[in-house]
């Protein structure tokens, strides 16, 4: 590779623990390049940083640029630093071809010689500079005249580091298995919830209608009452089946107490929609007493912020359901602001939607009886996803009990 | 049950074959009632109808009414017939409490002494009378002053009968198993497709992005070229990953030929969205040559009607994506008009959406590697769902080959 | 079909409820035959039998014979009856080519003009006549000189009828879903267990090691102590992981309380095997105190009959494990004598093994987090299989609690 | 940790690439210890080794010993080396409490000052010294007087290193997904097969009956004929269903060509067993022509070594089936000698059995439509497991085609 092209990059941090070092080497070889370690100092103890200076080579100049782009998310940055390249857009919703597309990791851009932390970090966004700030924006939010970060210069990504001494995440590794004792994991999750509230952060639940079908509604309500639910992100179906359960005692026509189908039951969900829409929506139905009980009632009473996103398979929908998905995404994202823990209950659709919006440092607990769902959510780049393969109804039963036990001596502060 | 309430109902048809008889008896007992068979004549041969007259009893008058409502979908009707009850709505999007909520089975209502067949049959709709016609309408489409069918009088449902001598459906029973020879099933599906086209009906595909990830795109294109795809119902992701594949040779950053991740690949889908939206959408991108090849290009060229429905997890979305789900449902439903066969490829979300819109007599083939998806689609009331648990990419490869073999001697007529 | 071959068959019973009628018609058409209903009387109420006389036709004489063979399991029998054909075997473990292979349904054979009920009914067996008795025997148990029932004459099968008024089975239909409220189903199972004991029948558990991994051991022990476990059928792994849990507090190296891996844990199971085999087996290890606690200890103390069947993936195995699978099958079958209810916990291998041995009238409850396992067990012909898709550890927790609640007022009698 | 206990360990190799470094640090913290890096040199290029000297501390002396035991599988060894501790057993099938239980990684023991490589490496074995050799032995094979390696001194484990420049394994990472293009992976597997044969090593297939049910038998036969199957490890069911297919054209009663059930079909498998056992077993049935075709016939003709292991769910079994599982394990292990590639087709039971016997350096390809099976096999410690979630019948079709294409220019040499 005598006529190869090379560059020198550096990285520092918990390079071994977070597997950045391996990932960096892998990428170089994967892309047909070569590397030479110029300097490496390994953190002597668990707390010390490691530091790497690396010479990377690639067969062509574009290949080298591609390679450096690929190394960016693993914390590598050029040794001699320039400001980020900025281009002005000339069309709404479109950006220059060489735009920088974000990861969900903490990112800084160099503007006027200074490193500015990017706000509203999320994946698959563009970075727009406004004044001395840098913000993530969705492609569709870009407007003519926006100053967009392009190319690769002057961008630094700090991969999340999973601190192995933090006990709350200690059980995350290889957790996607149905052959574990769920009760032990539930205890950890209860502790994480308490810890999140103690830090003044919010907890968001992302819930599918299975919560109601499996009889988990009762226990979810207890958790709401204890103050552990700040935000509820769901779809039309959760509210419909919850209302059906409240008004007729059934879920998709099945009596939850007896476990058997009920006369006329398959039409109960349509009657529930008609009743709530007739009352003018969920809040009005709660106020008027049309909807006497259930998950949504409890959320209204406790002031839980909820957003119901529409989908192609919705019946009705309820007037509360946000039928435009762009608006729904915006409302989800806004509701997630200040959230320190997300718990996804049996909904791949909304779970992935939420995962796309979160920065890497917000932990996500995903509970589903289907291991494929848990795997898929964990694969989407969130290094902080904890998977639990179990029955959602029984999980919520256990969680309510463990929160009860834990809270003796005082409930959490409302955020 | 001396002071019980009773009524006499009748049913006719293939009562044994379609299991109506058993279902009727089950319902009566399930609801705490009793029955006495007054008359029953069993069809003497495979072609003859059976006829039942049944006295049913229930402990209370409301229970009897509930019971009769429950027997309706199984083809039972009152022996002495009255016109359907009609009420006028007084609020947009709302109907009287006792509205009749439809099944997806063929339905007639009695108006002015005559039986009128309900048009646009689908499940979970209300029946609105306009002039001498009766139409299914979604709750949200009801307007003040609409004449809505209520109660249970004057309604007849004719459950679909699965004709066991029709070879094309012969393999439908108990088919949800991964332990079958897929090649035999593919041959049947190819024959059904040809048969559907020969009858002048359309074929709709409902496809998830897995079609592209699994390398099935190439084979799907062949099927489009052969004229077997009239309608394509999908989401934003199918078109995005198809464009990514066309522009960069990757799908979610993975090189489809080599099966390995590609440099910078994880951002290819964002670049693809930017390129297509910059060109002004899919049609414009095809015309301008921005999008040179792929599933969407082929659909544009062949005049395939496609609808992309938005969802909460969309990236972008493409300007072609219908972001309002009420509009998307309407466009899906309109595109399904005249369709005689639906093939769902690896998308539970859109598959359930489509299933909600279809009358019971349109057969649905559901192909997915996940048996839970196939079971769920089959459970949603479509008696005509054929499930196939297999790899979608390899399935499309086989299907293209078998259509090729079958078409020697002439391709199907375009509908 | 002018030169077709025909025969007249009859059937009686709950022909509609048990779907025999539909199955009979389906078979005839499926095999290319035709039928004519000569007589049919439908039971007028839920309790009355229906009676059918049917003329069936087939294109050839062998096809007619095949068809009649196929109708046999649905309760059809020739109108004019002869004694069963009996042939004498001339080789150990082999039978004449036209031997009658049993189903798991109740069967009678006609010998010397009298109908004799077959004993030890199970599927895939041959019927051997000894004196005036008829018994199911495995192929391998047949000896030279045995009198084996061949052909189809003089054999009557009585398909199991699922009585819809028996509340304990009311929830069986379509139960294979993870989207149900498990707590309601657990209540039914607890009631079935009590009912089984009250009738003086035994309860057998078939359990995989997941019972231990998921922390269900503690609750299983409670159920043993309450007297609800008469027989435990398992493999080597259950006992090994139970011993590991008892001796080291881990299961496959994972601390069950904390949910985290433990130092040296991956070798604990080998140490457990070494300890028990060193003591001379499970009973000796319990007596000597080597094995202080756990599922196996509790079974030894409560006199539960247990059989551990070997498999190709066994570590060790324990000296208690029956390594020859023919011997293991014999011991399983013998232990199942007198059992009135079988509960299978997360083991497809042993569950199918047990299913093969049971007559159709012993109900089987199958609990597994994997719906494919539940479907597979239910598909293997047992009309009495109840599937529950849930977490086994949490299921046992619920079951122990519900049995506790139910038993207030007196524990069940020991059988 | 002033009064803590410490030791100095060393490791060398591709410590970053194989993630040993991270694993070592994780273990130390996980066990409540601390570490200090005394020396670390990172391999400067992809080919150079890294070298680590580490001081580890633990709160107690036993904890330190546990910790060092845990570090052993990651290649750590004491800096000052002693001979391995050897104890003599005093009971058949039992060993001293502190016996060393093996991993499947390459292992050396120090005997008389020299490092001896352990033969027949496999997991969960004990190491027995005989003369100047060291061998893995199953617990049950240990005899009174055997010299068994105990404790932790003088043992070195060399973790397998996954060379990222070897293209044949390049696609292994994160491969457990059904959303990939199978055709690309099949090409790699075909290349691995050729490569294995070219190195003079054998290929073993571990196959479940699904191979026959899914119509894969035809393609498997082609692969046998091409010389790519040296060993076939299976159970009774594969041979039974293969014989059923050969004799009656059905598999579990289903016609493979038509995909529909066949008259009398559910008893075909019992007739097949009776026929083969009557002939005296598979070899005799092939010779006599009783069994005219199929997978087993082809294996007999091509001299493929096959072993059928019994299990509790077997029908029959065939006289060829090894009913004692200890004997079956021994025959499996013996047949695996000289094998350089194992391909597991839809059988978790036999796949885990084989996985337990293999050293870490034999790659295993696991093909199953159920992702849980693939995950489970991959989790059992084999760093060399490649998972492919797809339809087995279609997979074998593709594999036969790709081997055909690849072999133009010469078939592989028989090993």
């Amino acid at each position: 590779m005598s006529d190869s092209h090379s560059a020198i990059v550096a990285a520092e941090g918990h390079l071994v623990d977070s597997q950045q070092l391996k990932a960096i080497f892998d990428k170089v070889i994967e892309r047909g390049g070569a590397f030479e370690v110029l300097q490496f100092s390994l953190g002597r103890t668990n707390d010390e940083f490691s530091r790497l200076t690396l010479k990377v080579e690639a067969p062509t100049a574009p290949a080298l640029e591609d390679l450096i782009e690929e190394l960016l998310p693993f914390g590598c940055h050029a040794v001699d630093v320039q400001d980020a390249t900025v281009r002005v857009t000339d069309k709404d919703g479109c950006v220059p071809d060489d735009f920088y597309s974000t990861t969900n990791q903490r990112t800084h851009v160099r503007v006027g010689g200074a490193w500015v932390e990017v706000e509203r970090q999320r994946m698959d966004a563009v970075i727009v500079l406004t004044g001395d700030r840098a913000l993530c924006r969705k492609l569709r939010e870009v407007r003519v005249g926006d100053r967009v970060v392009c190319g690769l210069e002057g961008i630094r990504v700090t991969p999340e580091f999973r601190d192995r001494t933090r006990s709350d995440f200690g059980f995350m590794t290889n957790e996607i298995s149905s052959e574990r004792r769920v009760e032990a994991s539930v205890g950890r999750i209860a502790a994480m919830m308490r810890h999140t509230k103690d830090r003044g952060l919010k907890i968001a639940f992302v819930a599918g209608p299975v919560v109601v079908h499996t009889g988990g509604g009762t226990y979810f309500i207890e958790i709401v009452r204890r103050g552990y639910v700040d935000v509820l992100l769901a779809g039309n179906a959760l509210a419909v089946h919850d209302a059906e359960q409240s008004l007729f005692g059934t879920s998709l026509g099945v009596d939850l107490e007896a476990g058997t189908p009920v006369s006329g039951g398959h039409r109960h969900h349509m009657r529930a929609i008609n009743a709530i829409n007739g009352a003018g929506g969920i809040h009005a139905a709660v106020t008027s007493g049309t909807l006497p009980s259930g998950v949504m009632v409890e959320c209204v009473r406790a002031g839980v912020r909820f957003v119901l996103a529409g989908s192609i398979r919705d019946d009705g929908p309820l007037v509360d359901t946000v039928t435009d998905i762009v608006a729904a995404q915006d409302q989800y994202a806004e509701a997630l602001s200040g959230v320190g823990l997300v718990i996804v209950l049996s909904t791949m659709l909304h779970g992935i939607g939420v995962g796309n919006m979160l920065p890497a440092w917000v932990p996500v607990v995903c509970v589903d009886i289907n291991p494929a769902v848990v795997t898929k959510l964990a694969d989407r780049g969130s290094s902080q996803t904890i998977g639990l393969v179990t029955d959602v109804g029984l999980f919520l039963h256990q969680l309510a009990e463990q929160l009860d036990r834990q809270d003796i001596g005082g409930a959490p502060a409302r955020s």
Side-chain angles (χ1 to χ4, degrees), chain A residues 188-205:
Chain A
R188 305 275 190 112
I189 293 168
M192 284 172 70
M193 291 171 73
R194 181 65 185 247
H195 182 60
T196 303
K197 298 301 294 179
D198 288 349
R199 287 186 301 153
L201 296 173
K202 295 182 195 163
I203 297 173
F205 277 79

Side-chain angles (χ1 to χ4, degrees), chain A residues 2-3 142-143 168 196 201 210 218 231 282 301 318 381 414:
Chain A
S2 60
D3 54 350
V142 173
R143 290 291 164 269
D168 47 358
T196 303
L201 296 173
V210 170
T218 313
V231 175
I282 291 172
R301 288 187 187 147
L318 295 176
R414 265 268 155 219

Side-chain angles (χ1 to χ4, degrees), chain A residues 130-199:
Chain A
T130 60
D132 54 357
R133 296 167 62 197
L135 298 102
C136 274
R137 218 167 260 181
K138 300 275 300 174
L139 210 45
R140 64 181 181 242
E141 298 164 347
V142 173
R143 290 291 164 269
V144 170
D146 275 353
R147 300 172 59 233
V148 170
V149 173
C150 294
L152 302 170
E153 298 289 345
I155 300 171
R156 277 202 193 173
V157 175
T158 311
E160 204 58 17
F161 163 60
R162 184 179 297 175
D163 186 344
R164 70 190 137 222
T165 58
R166 279 173 57 196
S167 63
D168 47 358
F169 289 120
F171 69 107
M172 290 170 59
T173 328
N174 290 326
E175 192 64 18
I176 300 168
S177 164
S178 62
E179 303 191 355
R180 293 293 167 88
R181 185 160 176 260
V182 168
E183 288 159 0
S185 304
V186 173
R188 305 275 190 112
I189 293 168
M192 284 172 70
M193 291 171 73
R194 181 65 185 247
H195 182 60
T196 303
K197 298 301 294 179
D198 288 349
R199 287 186 301 153

Side-chain angles (χ1 to χ4, degrees), chain A residues 305-349:
Chain A
R305 166 94 162 99
F306 64 85
V307 185
L308 307 178
S311 91
I312 189 75
R313 70 181 168 200
D314 284 351
D315 290 312
L318 295 176
V319 295
D320 303 80
T321 297
V322 185
T323 61
D324 187 84
I325 62 102
V326 168
Q329 286 184 347
D330 291 346
Q331 293 188 27
Y332 263 45
E334 184 266 320
L336 285 166
S337 150
V339 162
L341 176 63
V342 174
I343 298 178
V344 181
L345 303 173
S346 269
T347 171
M348 187 161 71
L349 177 64

